[in-house]
Amino acid sequence: MNSFWNGKRRYIALLLFLAGVFVALVVPPVIPFIQLAGENLPSGYDIPFTDIRITNTFVAAVIVWILLLLFTVYIARRRPSDGGEVPPGGFYNMFEALYEGLMGFIGGIAGGAHFRLIFNMFMTIFLIVLLSNWMSLVPGIDTVGFIHPHTKEKFDPETEEYKVITTDGFEIYQGFLGISYVNGQCDWISPADEAAADQAALAEAEAAGLAAQQTQIEDAAYARYQAAHGEHGASEHTDEAGGDHGEDSHGEEAVESAATAMDDEVLAARIAEKQARANRGCYTGVALAPWQDGYSDDKDAKKKPIPLHPDPSSEEAKRVPWVVLPLVRVASTDLNMTLTLAIISVVMTQYIGFKALGIGYLTKFFNFGTLFKSPLGGIDVAVGLLELIGDFAKILSFSFRLLGAMFAGAILLFVMSFLVPILPWPFFILEFFVGAIQALVFALLTAIFMNLATISHHHDDDHDDDH
Amino acid sequence: MDAQATIVLGKAIGAGLAMIGAAGGGIGIGISVGGAVMAMGRNPDHTATIQTNMILGVAFAEAVAIYALVVSLIILFVLS
């Protein structure tokens, strides 16, 4: 295994590039449906014997746990029990170097009596956040999953019913081996919109035709008027009624052909538009009845499972927009994950504070000791209350920082993979660094706040007493 | 203009306006990193301490910009 990767296998990069070209040409990339909350997996994938639905970000979190467990077992097995040396090279040594580096780093920041506890929290949070951030770089995550009709229930206040409305999405595309894709080149247009566009084109053509007819008639009349009044001298020819008649019918014919030409122009544009869509492999002119879902008048529609029907190969499938529900979505793009980590971090900070300072830790927040001793005691009370608010603000700050950075990064990767499907690597490198830095910041701030919590405020009191 | 188009228009303008807040974070990060680099140049022995404090300050400044980002993401993808 090692000898395979030790050689100069640079052609692998070329193969990956060619694979990118192939994919970009054959299965054009799609901007996935972007949603901030984690999506529920379809029914049948919920926790057994309960109603609790599993979100795709939860799947990613579970994968992170399993990876961390395997990682721990591997490190523990590789670690020499007699404290001896491990032969250089390999994953274990790399991790050991990282571990020792971070240990020295945290030792410089929080190297007090509670170093072990703080460092354990730091390393746990760092590894969890790092693994879940880096999952966004793995192909297939965020893109491979269940394909389902993209419909939404909307409450109609007039009839007091939930109406199923179809929203934006893509047309379904039957690939080989029975795998379905969403066709990124075909924005879904609802049959109603399609019919309305046809009607509009027809009406416009008709109106244009009528207007043209009008102009043609007026033009002809004006020409006749000109002919009649302009050439008084040569009025002998117009006396013949038969000649007049013939001229009239000729004019009408011209008017008619001009009108059909105008008709054709507007309609031809519409037809060409449809043809262009058809050439891209989209369905066009699907004039079918609106798709009705079975649960449209359900008041409790939110708890209903996402329907996996209609069968993707059926005729019905053409009537609805389809989107992909990824099976695995990066855990740190879900507020639940980041909020949980933030709460754990802040609560553990309080725990370490109480452990280090006992009940006296509370004077950090409720500092009434100096209220009647010094003239500025009121300021200490206000500062203590601000600290209390600040600890709640920390939760928000921690969770939104990680969520914002990783969610924006995920969208960046989507958009860049869509715009430059052949070569989006620079942005993956960027995300690699952003993921590492965000994990470091989250864990480092935790360590620093924990260290601050262990530092007593008593020297201030001593200072006051001296005066 | 139909209602859907108005909603999309409002969302786009609102998200763009919300991201003005990122300017403050950018200025803050620039000032703090500039100061840190100058300090590191003057006394390279204290690079580790300065770097730690710099990352801390940058994280706080960045947090403000990310609040703006989260607001604009919520406007774009959560409001309907």
Side-chain angles (χ1 to χ4, degrees):
Chain A
M1 183 71 190
N2 270 341
S3 61
F4 178 80
W5 291 106
N6 283 343
K8 292 186 172 60
R9 306 263 168 189
R10 285 171 198 157
Y11 61 84
I12 288 175
L14 184 68
L15 285 183
L16 284 177
F17 178 76
L18 290 179
V21 174
F22 174 77
V23 166
L25 292 178
V26 175
V27 194
V30 176
I31 292 190
F33 172 65
I34 297 171
Q35 185 185 346
L36 193 55
E39 293 112 303
N40 283 338
L41 292 188
S43 61
Y45 293 86
D46 42 5
I47 297 175
F49 311 117
T50 60
D51 266 356
I52 304 170
R53 308 292 305 280
I54 291 180
T55 59
N56 48 10
T57 46
F58 180 73
V59 176
V62 170
I63 291 175
V64 167
W65 299 340
I66 292 171
L67 282 179
L68 269 182
L69 273 180
L70 291 178
F71 177 78
T72 317
V73 170
Y74 169 77
I75 294 293
R77 285 174 72 98
R78 276 307 295 275
R79 188 179 175 194
S81 52
D82 53 351
E85 293 279 311
V86 177
F91 183 74
Y92 178 81
N93 270 278
M94 190 197 77
F95 180 70
E96 203 176 70
L98 175 78
Y99 187 83
E100 277 174 7
L102 286 175
M103 211 164 176
F105 185 52
I106 297 305
I109 295 166
H114 302 276
F115 172 69
R116 289 302 313 181
L117 189 52
I118 293 178
F119 182 68
N120 287 347
M121 284 304 297
F122 169 85
M123 205 61 194
T124 310
I125 290 181
F126 178 70
L127 286 179
I128 289 177
V129 178
L130 188 73
L131 267 183
S132 41
N133 285 358
W134 278 355
M135 272 178 86
S136 67
L137 307 173
V138 180
I141 287 177
D142 279 345
T143 46
V144 175
F146 307 96
I147 185 166
H148 70 93
H150 189 203
T151 54
K152 200 154 70 166
E153 294 91 33
K154 200 171 192 182
F155 186 72
D156 190 357
E158 286 179 11
T159 57
E160 294 197 338
E161 277 181 352
Y162 278 92
K163 244 169 54 182
V164 174
I165 54 168
T166 45
T167 41
D168 52 344
F170 294 98
E171 287 183 358
I172 194 168
Y173 173 70
Q174 286 290 314
F176 34 79
L177 296 176
I179 303 170
S180 311
Y181 310 95
V182 289
N183 193 348
Q185 303 201 330
C186 304
D187 282 340
W188 183 79
I189 301 173
S190 79
D193 284 355
E194 186 93 37
D198 283 350
Q199 285 295 324
L202 269 177
E204 199 181 332
E206 205 171 318
L210 283 179
Q213 221 166 346
Q214 203 83 33
T215 327
Q216 287 281 331
I217 290 166
E218 278 170 9
D219 280 356
Y222 184 67
R224 265 207 305 280
Y225 176 84
Q226 281 279 323
H229 296 267
E231 300 176 15
H232 281 299
S235 57
E236 301 99 41
H237 292 286
T238 52
D239 286 347
E240 296 160 18
D244 235 317
H245 222 70
E247 210 180 15
D248 238 343
S249 66
H250 182 70
E252 259 168 30
E253 255 172 43
V255 163
E256 234 164 62
S257 66
T260 44
M262 287 300 286
D263 256 353
D264 285 350
E265 200 178 311
V266 178
L267 282 182
R270 175 78 190 135
I271 289 166
E273 193 184 307
K274 285 187 153 196
Q275 193 60 49
R277 272 177 66 80
N279 287 344
R280 280 182 282 149
C282 310
Y283 302 115
T284 50
V286 188
L288 297 166
W291 183 64
Q292 286 295 328
D293 192 79
Y295 59 94
S296 59
D297 50 6
D298 195 332
K299 297 274 192 302
D300 215 14
K302 274 202 165 176
K303 280 192 180 169
K304 280 284 179 174
I306 295 166
L308 277 180
H309 63 280
D311 176 28
S313 58
S314 68
E315 271 299 303
E316 265 198 327
K318 297 174 185 176
R319 300 185 215 172
V320 287
W322 291 76
V323 289
V324 172
L325 191 161
L327 178 59
V328 182
R329 198 179 112 184
V330 181
S332 29
T333 59
D334 192 340
L335 187 59
N336 290 312
M337 170 82 171
T338 60
L339 193 61
T340 310
L341 280 175
I343 289 174
I344 289 173
S345 161
V346 170
V347 168
M348 279 307 286
T349 305
Q350 312 310 320
Y351 168 72
I352 288 178
F354 278 116
K355 200 180 175 196
L357 303 176
I359 200 74
Y361 177 68
L362 281 174
T363 57
K364 189 181 163 196
F365 303 122
F366 306 104
N367 194 358
F368 298 114
T370 57
L371 185 54
F372 301 110
K373 278 188 203 164
S374 82
L376 294 178
I379 291 180
D380 281 349
V381 175
V383 167
L385 291 179
L386 277 184
E387 287 260 355
L388 188 64
I389 296 169
D391 266 23
F392 285 104
K394 262 184 221 163
I395 299 179
L396 281 184
S397 166
F398 268 132
S399 55
F400 280 128
R401 182 186 299 118
L402 185 59
L403 172 83
M406 294 325 293
F407 190 67
I411 295 175
L412 178 78
L413 289 188
F414 293 160
V415 173
M416 284 306 153
S417 305
F418 173 73
L419 289 179
V420 247
I422 297 173
L423 212 102
W425 306 344
F427 297 96
F428 280 80
I429 296 170
L430 176 79
E431 272 312 293
F432 181 84
F433 286 116
V434 168
I437 287 173
Q438 287 300 325
L440 185 68
V441 162
F442 199 112
L444 184 64
L445 285 178
T446 302
I448 287 170
F449 289 144
M450 283 179 175
N451 186 50
L452 282 180
T454 61
I455 296 171
S456 135
H457 283 228
H458 279 296
H459 62 272
D460 287 341
D461 297 342
D462 296 344
H463 192 69
D464 284 343
D465 289 344
D466 286 344
H467 279 278
Chain B
M1 202 186 320
D2 65 49
Q4 196 60 36
T6 320
I7 291 171
V8 171
L9 178 77
K11 272 191 193 177
I13 293 176
L17 285 179
M19 281 312 287
I20 292 175
I27 294 169
I29 291 173
I31 291 174
S32 59
V33 173
V37 168
M38 263 195 268
M40 281 185 232
R42 288 201 185 130
N43 33 7
D45 294 346
H46 293 92
T47 303
T49 323
I50 296 168
Q51 218 161 26
T52 312
N53 286 319
M54 183 195 82
I55 291 175
L56 198 62
V58 165
F60 283 130
E62 194 195 37
V64 177
I66 286 177
Y67 297 156
L69 178 69
V70 169
V71 168
S72 101
L73 290 177
I74 287 174
I75 289 174
L76 280 180
F77 301 119
V78 177
L79 295 184
S80 62

